[in-house]
Amino acid sequence: VNPETKMIDVYNLSTQTIPATAMWVNGAFVKQIAPIAPKGHVTTKYVELLEAGPGARSFSQVETPVQKVELQTNDGNFSVQGPVNR
């Protein structure tokens, strides 16, 4: 997590693809993503994370730090380790 550049990086350090379909931040903001390849990563800008539900705000419009990041798969949501600020 880099609050200055307003970007989130999620790394897959395993040797298997993570079959993610979406990234959730703080349980309320979501962005569709592609599966993460082995030893690969995905980078998301705060402005790309949209509030779930009737709101139309992006995460960049909210003055809240990243507290929780989850990857959604067909089997449910899974928390990632971190966040770690750069």
Side-chain angles (χ1 to χ4, degrees), residues 25-62:
V25 174
N26 294 354
F29 294 85
V30 64
K31 178 191 177 203
Q32 289 186 331
I33 62 170
I36 306 171
K39 308 295 183 188
H41 77 281
V42 62
T43 299
T44 300
K45 297 176 184 177
Y46 285 14
V47 72
E48 297 171 333
L49 292 156
L50 300 178
E51 190 170 23
R57 296 183 301 172
S58 73
F59 191 66
S60 64
Q61 295 174 297
V62 181

Side-chain angles (χ1 to χ4, degrees), residues 42-85:
V42 62
T43 299
T44 300
K45 297 176 184 177
Y46 285 14
V47 72
E48 297 171 333
L49 292 156
L50 300 178
E51 190 170 23
R57 296 183 301 172
S58 73
F59 191 66
S60 64
Q61 295 174 297
V62 181
E63 296 297 323
T64 300
V66 175
Q67 298 174 346
K68 177 174 69 169
V69 177
E70 296 174 297
L71 296 179
Q72 179 179 332
T73 71
N74 291 336
D75 295 323
N77 288 9
F78 298 90
S79 294
V80 300
Q81 291 181 345
V84 176
N85 288 335

Side-chain angles (χ1 to χ4, degrees), residues 4-43:
E4 291 180 18
T5 62
K6 298 188 180 219
M7 297 177 78
I8 299 171
D9 292 313
V10 175
Y11 291 88
N12 177 5
L13 302 178
S14 76
T15 58
Q16 298 181 14
T17 297
I18 297 174
T21 58
M23 177 189 298
W24 287 85
V25 174
N26 294 354
F29 294 85
V30 64
K31 178 191 177 203
Q32 289 186 331
I33 62 170
I36 306 171
K39 308 295 183 188
H41 77 281
V42 62
T43 299

